[in-house]
Amino acid sequence: MKIRVLGSAAGGGFPQWNCNCRNCSGLRNAALHATPRTQSSIAVCGTDARAWALVNASPDILAQLKSSPVLQPARAPRDTAIAAVVLVDGQVDHTTGLFMLRESTRPLPVWCTQNVHADLTRGNPIFGVLGHYCGIEHHPMRIDGEGFEVAGVAGVQWRAVAVASKPAPYSPHRERPQPGDNVALVIREPQHGRSVVYAPGLGSMEAAVWAEMQAAHCVMVDGTFWSDEEMIGMGLSRKRAREIGHLPQSGPGGMLEWLARLPAGTRKILIHVNNTNPILDEDSAERAQLNRLGIEVAYDGMEIEP
Ligand code: MLT
Ligand code: MN
Ligand code: ZN
């Protein structure tokens, strides 16, 4: 099994088009030791190196595909290595790329929960729009612990675990999140029994996802914000990290405290990093702290073979 990080940034990317925070302006002016990042997506392949599951379809997907030649095997006049799409939520940064896949020569197989299917049918009717192009083939993703396999991507087993976060603003229950609005994925290679937990949106650590993280060989988890008040402090938002469904890294009960409790051999990677997060500055004290703790920061093009 191989995982390729297509986009390691949160919604907005890094730099974000209209943002002049220290990180975004520093990156533009080459005054910062940092790397640009596109919006949130990974790709997963099993025993067939030419069949990948796209996990989340980023607004930046076309650029991501251009920089990932492995996803274009060129066996036919129209071809792709993307065998299916798996969605962890219905947010803009994870679904807008579906529009860019509309030239697909067959209905796009999409695995998502009923909640996400509802949001992408009503609040943000991407699935209805795609019906006028390639269409989609919906595969319901269950959150009752039942695993699933993604047709075409052999040698990988999947399980969705409901997590506490926030559905998209166009969800009818944005302020009353329900199980299935956001999931973590347990991605497992049965051949070697190795598993990865991927959870780019994790608002608080509940028992189910924590148990999965403790059993995994690698965790790729919510790296959106360093502090709960990050965006408030910069005058960019009135909302705390937790209020928009992201557990901050620092502070009591923050992600760093949880990661420190994982078994020593677990590979720990922060992903879905917001452009305001000081860990993007590779010379920052916060990044040095991660280095000391053995926590990695995902970057575009990163490959993981757990
Ligand atoms: C989030 O993860 O909170 C959202 O994706 C933010 C956004 O893209 O609007
Ligand atoms: Mn997001
Ligand atoms: Zn910024």
Side-chain angles (χ1 to χ4, degrees):
M1 176 167 103
K2 188 187 269 190
I3 296 180
R4 183 176 169 90
V5 175
L6 302 183
S8 51
F14 178 47
Q16 178 176 312
W17 69 282
N18 64 346
C19 191
N20 291 299
C21 75
R22 180 181 180 276
N23 281 348
C24 289
S25 57
L27 186 66
R28 273 188 212 104
N29 303 333
L32 199 73
H33 182 197
T35 310
R37 284 169 166 82
T38 62
Q39 293 168 84
S40 186
S41 175
I42 63 171
V44 179
C45 88
T47 48
D48 180 354
R50 296 192 296 184
W52 295 69
L54 181 71
V55 184
N56 298 323
S58 162
D60 299 317
I61 188 168
L62 297 183
Q64 295 169 346
L65 293 179
K66 272 186 206 140
S67 52
S68 305
V70 70
L71 296 176
Q72 179 45 266
R75 296 159 293 193
R78 290 269 164 96
D79 197 15
T80 177
I82 298 172
V85 184
V86 181
L87 301 176
V88 302
D89 59 38
Q91 301 258 14
V92 163
D93 61 341
H94 286 159
T95 58
T96 304
L98 290 170
F99 285 131
M100 274 69 237
L101 302 180
R102 68 193 178 283
E103 298 92 352
S104 175
T105 54
R106 60 175 181 141
L108 279 176
V110 178
W111 269 257
C112 66
T113 64
Q114 293 296 354
N115 306 38
V116 169
H117 185 267
D119 285 344
L120 299 181
T121 303
R122 292 193 277 276
N124 179 9
I126 294 179
F127 290 164
V129 173
L130 282 177
H132 298 278
Y133 299 88
C134 58
I136 70 142
E137 177 190 287
H138 176 226
H139 297 263
M141 180 195 279
R142 296 163 59 156
I143 50 166
D144 60 0
E146 184 81 13
F148 61 98
E149 291 194 2
V150 173
V153 183
V156 183
Q157 289 173 345
W158 305 72
R159 209 147 29 80
V161 179
V163 294
S165 188
K166 277 283 180 86
Y170 36 81
S171 163
H173 45 87
R174 163 82 168 170
E175 298 308 329
R176 289 170 290 107
Q178 293 171 12
D181 289 333
N182 306 78
V183 301
L185 292 171
V186 183
I187 309 169
R188 188 168 173 275
E189 182 188 45
Q191 204 183 350
H192 304 109
R194 312 218 25 114
S195 67
V196 174
V197 170
Y198 172 63
L202 197 54
S204 65
M205 196 64 76
E206 294 183 320
V209 70
W210 177 238
E212 298 293 354
M213 285 172 62
Q214 287 175 286
H217 295 84
C218 171
V219 299
M220 304 175 79
V221 291
D222 194 331
T224 313
F225 298 112
W226 177 258
S227 70
D228 205 26
E229 301 190 10
E230 187 165 311
M231 301 247 275
I232 302 173
M234 293 182 192
L236 301 175
S237 168
R238 285 199 287 219
K239 296 211 163 140
R240 294 169 179 275
R242 284 184 171 87
E243 277 178 78
I244 56 172
H246 297 290
L247 182 67
Q249 281 113 59
S250 64
M255 189 64 87
L256 298 189
E257 286 189 2
W258 287 102
L259 295 181
R261 293 169 57 193
L262 288 174
T266 310
R267 191 166 174 193
K268 302 177 279 283
I269 302 171
L270 294 172
I271 198 163
H272 189 277
V273 185
N274 198 56
N275 56 72
T276 50
N277 192 326
I279 64 175
L280 289 172
D281 174 355
E282 292 174 32
D283 297 328
S284 65
E286 292 84 355
R287 184 62 166 266
Q289 188 178 344
L290 295 187
N291 291 341
R292 283 194 301 275
L293 295 169
I295 300 170
E296 300 170 70
V297 181
Y299 53 88
D300 294 14
M302 183 184 203
E303 288 196 337
I304 294 138
E305 286 181 73

